[in-house]
Structures are given as structure tokens and as C-alpha cells.
Amino acid sequence: MFEEEDLLPISALSQLLYCERRAALIYVEGLWNENLYTAEGHHLHDRAHLSDSEVRGVLRIVRGLYLRSLRLGLTGKADVVEFHRLREDMQNGTRIEGVSGFWRPFPVEYKRGRLRHEREYEVQLCAQALCLEEMLSVNISSGALYYGKTARRLKVAFDDNLRRETEEAARSLHDLCRKGETPRARYEKKCNKCSMRDLCMPKTTGVKRNVMRYLNRIVESDSGEES
Amino acid sequence: MKRLLNTLFVTTQGAYLCREGETVVVRADHETKLQVPIHTLSGIVCFGRVSCSPPLMGLCGERGVLISFHSEYGKFLARMHGPVSGNVLLRREQYRRADDPQSSSDIARSVVLAKISNCRTVLQRTLRDHPSNPNASALKKAAGSLARLLITLQESIALDVVRGREGEAARIYFNVFEHLILAQKDHFYFRDRSKRPPLDPMNALLSFLYAILAHDVTYALESVGLDPAVGFLHRDRPGRPGLALDLMEEFRPILADRVALSLVNRQQVKGKGFKRTETGAVLMDNKTRKEVLVAYQKRKTEEIQHPFIGEKVAVGLLPYVQALLMARFLRGDLDGYPPFIWR
């Protein structure tokens, strides 16, 4: 069990699965800091404008719910959690304060772009489900990724494999942050699209370059010109 | 690469800077002289009697825009920045290495090596561009001495020895600096370096450029989360930006000396733009100061091949690239600090 102050953001899981070094640069090196304030701005903005719920008969749509899991050591916020009203079935449902009946939570995570299968997004969504399960003592079998550009939903089942992967990712994330070491860069094609590229310098730091040799080369070329 | 953001230099005496929404407003003589969006700025540098409103300082702190205040000559007075940012592990490592004599001297050696090599390149450029320079033989001799000094920096030596070599190199370089001045020799000459205050126009020009460079390097270090105050070559002294001064060494010849020399040699600044005060201290007038700033900003937009990272980089981003390389080295990504060598 984790203490509250040791919780790490759920969104870090998808960073970690995308690239361990990227996650370390952000969460160990604090290199996102410059943007933290803007992020906090958005955060407040979200809370002010989106923390509301909408009721459509048997469906309640709640935005901006705070989530956490002390078991996995995660914290975060769900874009949308839908609560589907159940008929008499308290086995798979949860109570909602001030509302009658039993409800089944169904997390929905918003992603930019068009529909695509990305394991790291599925893990991120699953982590939200695990938080909801822990907080509401309920079992959640599925959720969805919503792709804004094409307005399409991808349903995600929280099967044993995905759950195991999510728990493993949470463990590696905590290991990474505890060790405080940043993994060495490995230049790949995906680096070209990565927003952390300038800070990571994969082409410079990835290959073990010999700085002493670089300096000696300078000295030799300078003194070579003289003779 | 990070976008090359602009630095706002305010030289108008009595100017008042304040915030209006997401913009910086410069007021003087009861009117608005300039209004720029905050997101286009990386720094604000104020010279002399210039003041800033607290809301503007707050906005700058929030957006990581460094404000620095300088005297009319360009002497650094104070700077203002927002909450301490960046990585505590990185800063701790920086302090540990600064406490370790071996690490300090290795980093200092890299920096001094680059400085000497870059000074030598300044001499070589003059020799190449002006082969008939009457002082060519003195310049050649100095370049040779610098090359020999470089060889002595190839192996590990104590920090004091590194400092001694640096002092020797500075003496050799500034001894022939006079010969790099090719025009307006009755106004611009160079006997030796004077700083507090500068006693001749050339020194005034150099001091002013070094002050601006120090601002840029400090900002670069802060933006990657390093502490500009704790250096390796320059030891701690309250109020002195040790690491900024360390990192500056490699840039002085390229970003300041060359800019100063070409301003004089191309007659973009004139002798009458400098005023000798009663104490012998030399001051630049406003027009000259602006001329210098324009030349400096222009130099920053030129692109140059970085010999270590192997990419083309705008000159203005060099301090940022070097700050990043220093951070990556301290965090264990590189086996040494690779300074910038100008070719």
C-alpha cells in the first residue's frame, strides 16, 4: 500500500510505455516544469467548467472525477465516467450518494486524433478503472477511448492480460522514480515526433560518445595547424 | 530545437514596464512605446533607470521569462525570476561535483580548453581575412602559444593549474587584441582589460557585451534546471553566478569579442558615441548601446555547425545547448562535458 504523498500520475503510465526515458525526463528530471503552470491552469479551468454531471435517464455522465489507488500508487482524473443504471443488480453496481439505485461505472478517456489501437492508452484507461474499482468497491469490465477527430469510440475490455500489464506498468513507474536514474537514450524513429526530443538529445546522448576524444581532436587539429 | 525567443532590451531612461493582459507594455514620456506578447520573449534586460510593475514581474516569473537589471554601463545589478524550477537531483549532483576537486578540475579543464581554442580561432580568422595585417607575425606567434597551452590541458591537472593556464592564455590573447582592431585606431585601442569601470571605449564595449552574454547564459542554465550560482572553474562567491561565468568562457570570443571587433572595424560604432567621465570611466551613449544590441541580436540568428552534436544551431541557442549538455553530463548521459568549439 502506498502513502498519499507517494502517488504518481496515471498519465505517467502511458508515457512510460511509450518510452521509459521520456517518463524519466518528465517525472524524475522534472523537465516538464516549464509547462507545469500552464498545466495547472488547464486543471483549474477543467474543474471550473467541466466538473458537473449530466443525467439522461439510465445514464449519468460525470466529468473530471478525481481518482486514486493506494494499492497501485496512482492518482489522476478521469475525463468522463459514465454511470449506467442497473436493474436491481447490486453485484456489479455501486451506490451514488443522493441518487437511488445501483450504477455501473464505465470510464471514457478522450484522445486527440483518429481511432487507433495504442496499448499505452488502454493501460491508462485500465488504470482509471482499477482506481474506480478500489474507490467504489465495484467490478468494472470495460471502458472506452474516445477519439475526438473522428468522433469514434473504441471499447476496451479490462481482461486479465490488460490488468496484469497495468499493474506491472505501475510497479515499473514506481521503480523508475525511486531509483531516480534516467535510462540512456536509444534513438528510434518515434523520437522525431516526441516533444521531449530537444531535452533528451537522443542522437547525442544515445551513443556513448567519448568527450575526451572530442577534446583531444580539437587540441591536435589546433596544434597541427601550427607546425 | 527550442525556438529562439527574443530578448527585450530596454535602454530608454525613465522607462516603465507593465503588464497588460498577456503582453508587456513599455511606457516612457507618458506614452506607450512598445507592446509585445509575453510568449515571444525569453528575457527582459533593463539598463539604467528602468522600472517594472509587480504584476509584470509576476507574469514573467510564471512564464519563465528572466528579468535582469543592469547599470547604464551594463554592469549586472540584480535579476528577478519566478519559482525555482527543474530537477532537484540534477542540482544536488551539480553541488556534489562542485565539492569534488577532481570533477571540478575536469569540467573546468574542458571549459578552459574551449575558451583557448575559440580565442585562437578569433586570431586565426583575422590572419585569414587580412593576410597583409602588419602585425601578422605577432598574431601567429600568439596563436602558436595558445596551441601549445592547449596541449598542456590534455591530461588531468589540479584546478589551480587549470586557472593558471587560463590566466596565461588570457594574457597572450589580450596582449595581441590591439592588433585585431583594424579601424578607428585613435578612438579604439586596447592596452589591458579594465572592468570596474571600463577606462576606454573598447573595454566599455566588451563589458557591455559580456553583461548581456551573462544574462543569456544564466537564463539558459535556469531553463534546464541548473543553479547558475554554483560553478566549477569559478568558485562560490555570494552574488556571483559561478556556473554562468564558467559556461560563458567558451562563448566570450565568439559572441562578444568578435561582435565588438566587427562593430569597430566596420565603423558601426564611432568614437564620439563614448563619453569619458571625470573619473576616467567611459560610458556609451544610447545610440551606441542600441547599435551594439542590434548587432548582438543579429549575430544570434546566424547558424553554426555544432561539432559535438553534429547539428546546425542558431548562435543564440548555443548557451541553451551547452546548458543542456552540462545537465545531461551531470545526469550521467555523457562521459564528460563537451564544450562548444568554434571552427
Side-chain angles (χ1 to χ4, degrees):
Chain A
M1 281 302 206
F2 287 90
E3 301 288 331
E4 274 194 346
E5 67 233 47
D6 298 328
L7 303 183
L8 293 169
I10 295 174
S11 56
L13 294 178
S14 66
Q15 307 282 9
L16 181 88
L17 294 182
Y18 176 77
C19 169
E20 274 199 25
R21 182 170 163 89
R22 182 183 158 97
L25 289 174
I26 298 171
Y27 299 102
V28 178
E29 309 260 344
L31 286 179
W32 208 253
N33 258 11
E34 220 185 321
N35 283 348
L36 191 71
Y37 305 106
T38 36
E40 278 174 354
H42 290 312
H43 182 83
L44 290 173
H45 180 86
D46 285 352
R47 206 158 45 162
H49 297 277
L50 297 174
S51 286
D52 55 0
S53 48
E54 213 178 291
V55 186
R56 297 186 199 159
V58 297
L59 184 66
R60 285 180 79 84
I61 300 169
V62 186
R63 294 171 204 278
L65 272 186
Y66 284 97
L67 305 174
R68 72 147 200 220
S69 163
L70 294 177
R71 183 173 68 88
L72 299 179
L74 296 173
T75 180
K77 217 170 140 192
D79 286 333
V80 164
V81 180
E82 294 176 357
F83 287 87
H84 299 254
R85 186 170 195 149
L86 300 172
R87 284 192 205 100
E88 307 295 312
D89 181 10
M90 58 176 299
Q91 286 298 312
N92 276 316
T94 180
R95 287 251 184 218
I96 298 177
E97 213 178 291
V99 184
S100 65
F102 292 97
W103 301 79
R104 180 165 42 91
F106 182 88
V108 183
E109 169 74 8
Y110 280 58
K111 290 293 174 197
R112 281 183 301 176
R114 49 187 77 248
L115 189 119
R116 60 193 187 276
H117 287 265
E118 297 274 9
R119 195 56 167 173
E120 63 248 35
Y121 292 166
E122 293 175 21
V123 165
Q124 189 184 350
L125 184 68
C126 180
Q128 294 180 8
L130 294 176
C131 289
L132 286 166
E133 287 185 346
E134 185 177 314
M135 295 174 94
L136 303 173
S137 311
V138 67
N139 187 30
I140 303 172
S141 57
S142 59
L145 294 166
Y146 176 83
Y147 289 87
K149 196 163 182 181
T150 47
R152 294 271 307 277
R153 262 187 181 203
L154 177 72
K155 198 170 169 188
V156 178
F158 305 127
D159 58 25
D160 288 348
N161 278 339
L162 183 55
R163 282 168 188 269
R164 209 166 25 243
E165 240 174 276
T166 306
E167 288 180 17
E168 253 162 46
R171 257 195 307 277
S172 332
L173 179 67
H174 277 280
D175 283 346
L176 186 81
C177 291
R178 198 176 311 117
K179 267 194 277 171
E181 282 167 21
T182 306
R184 190 163 286 283
R186 227 180 31 236
Y187 180 73
E188 285 176 55
K189 220 171 131 190
K190 68 180 177 191
C191 295
N192 298 328
K193 282 190 298 180
C194 177
S195 65
M196 298 293 285
R197 193 197 151 139
D198 298 344
L199 293 164
C200 170
M201 304 179 121
K203 281 189 171 168
T204 303
T205 58
V207 268
K208 183 125 183 152
R209 294 226 196 162
N210 189 319
V211 173
M212 232 35 245
R213 205 157 52 216
Y214 162 75
L215 292 175
N216 287 338
R217 218 169 46 227
I218 299 300
V219 174
E220 275 150 30
S221 89
D222 278 8
S223 53
E225 271 174 46
E226 293 303 325
S227 54
Chain B
M1 228 354 115
K2 187 177 162 128
R3 259 182 350 130
L4 183 52
L5 296 169
N6 288 315
T7 306
L8 174 65
F9 297 100
V10 188
T11 58
T12 308
Q13 296 306 293
Y16 179 68
L17 279 67
C18 56
R19 172 179 186 173
E20 211 177 282
E22 297 291 294
T23 65
V24 180
V25 175
V26 182
R27 293 220 177 99
D29 305 323
H30 307 290
E31 56 178 288
T32 297
K33 298 280 185 192
L34 185 77
Q35 184 160 16
V36 277
I38 189 80
H39 70 266
T40 60
L41 292 179
S42 66
I44 299 176
V45 185
C46 307
F47 296 99
R49 224 159 31 75
V50 173
S51 52
C52 288
S53 78
L56 175 66
M57 292 197 232
L59 179 69
C60 288
E62 193 182 298
R63 302 303 175 83
V65 175
L66 190 69
I67 306 178
S68 68
F69 296 92
H70 300 252
S71 76
E72 264 194 274
Y73 323 82
K75 186 185 164 238
F76 171 82
L77 298 173
R79 68 194 158 83
M80 198 289 310
H81 67 84
V84 172
S85 68
N87 178 9
V88 61
L89 298 176
L90 172 65
R91 272 198 298 277
R92 259 192 193 280
E93 189 57 36
Q94 179 188 352
Y95 301 151
R96 268 195 289 271
R97 306 266 186 130
D99 282 339
D100 177 49
Q102 181 69 50
S103 289
S104 291
S105 81
D106 284 345
I107 299 168
R109 194 155 56 88
S110 288
V111 165
V112 170
L113 199 148
K115 179 190 187 181
I116 297 178
S117 178
N118 293 343
C119 284
R120 191 180 161 278
T121 305
V122 170
L123 305 184
Q124 296 287 83
R125 286 273 167 125
T126 302
L127 279 168
R128 197 191 64 192
D129 298 344
H130 307 276
S132 56
N133 187 321
N135 297 299
S137 71
L139 290 175
K140 267 186 206 143
K141 199 163 155 259
S145 308
L146 293 180
R148 277 189 295 282
L149 265 181
L150 284 175
I151 296 171
T152 69
L153 289 166
Q154 276 184 295
E155 53 202 49
S156 212
I157 40 176
L159 192 55
D160 282 347
V161 183
V162 177
R163 290 210 186 95
R165 301 275 195 270
E166 192 215 356
E168 220 175 314
R171 206 162 48 244
I172 294 166
Y173 175 71
F174 281 124
N175 263 337
V176 295
F177 198 79
E178 168 81 19
H179 304 327
L180 304 175
I181 303 169
L182 306 169
Q184 315 184 69
K185 302 246 330 174
D186 39 344
H187 293 293
F188 295 93
Y189 47 84
F190 192 90
R191 306 278 175 267
D192 49 56
R193 185 83 183 96
S194 54
K195 307 174 210 177
R196 291 181 188 179
L199 299 172
D200 58 72
M202 198 67 210
N203 270 300
L205 205 49
L206 287 176
S207 285
F208 186 66
L209 282 161
Y210 291 156
I212 305 165
L213 181 58
H215 167 95
D216 283 357
V217 173
T218 302
Y219 172 74
L221 290 168
E222 273 174 358
S223 73
V224 304
L226 284 162
D227 185 341
V230 178
F232 305 101
L233 176 66
H234 293 88
R235 304 315 287 181
D236 297 356
R237 191 198 289 163
R240 183 165 79 163
L243 188 59
L245 293 173
D246 283 5
L247 222 58
M248 251 180 86
E249 295 295 358
E250 47 195 283
F251 301 124
R252 283 176 202 264
I254 324 155
L255 271 163
D257 300 358
R258 281 276 294 187
V259 173
L261 287 167
S262 69
L263 278 166
V264 170
N265 290 340
R266 290 183 193 156
Q267 316 211 16
Q268 284 168 283
V269 296
K270 297 277 168 37
K272 64 175 183 338
F274 295 80
K275 198 180 100 201
R276 184 179 299 277
T277 63
E278 285 71 8
T279 58
V282 171
L283 272 175
M284 269 186 252
D285 67 14
N286 243 331
K287 193 169 153 282
T288 305
R289 210 177 275 132
K290 271 187 192 139
E291 199 68 57
V292 177
L293 292 170
V294 168
Y296 179 75
Q297 288 300 94
K298 193 158 161 277
R299 177 88 176 112
K300 282 179 27 171
T301 59
E302 285 166 25
E303 285 210 325
I304 206 164
Q305 177 80 16
H306 194 294
F308 189 77
I309 67 172
E311 282 175 40
K312 268 207 177 339
V313 178
V315 167
L317 286 181
L318 286 174
Y320 178 75
V321 170
Q322 291 310 125
L324 257 179
L325 286 169
M326 177 66 83
R328 302 274 36 112
F329 156 62
L330 292 174
R331 292 293 293 148
D333 283 339
L334 294 164
D335 65 341
Y337 167 65
F340 176 74
I341 312 274
W342 184 44
R343 279 289 183 248

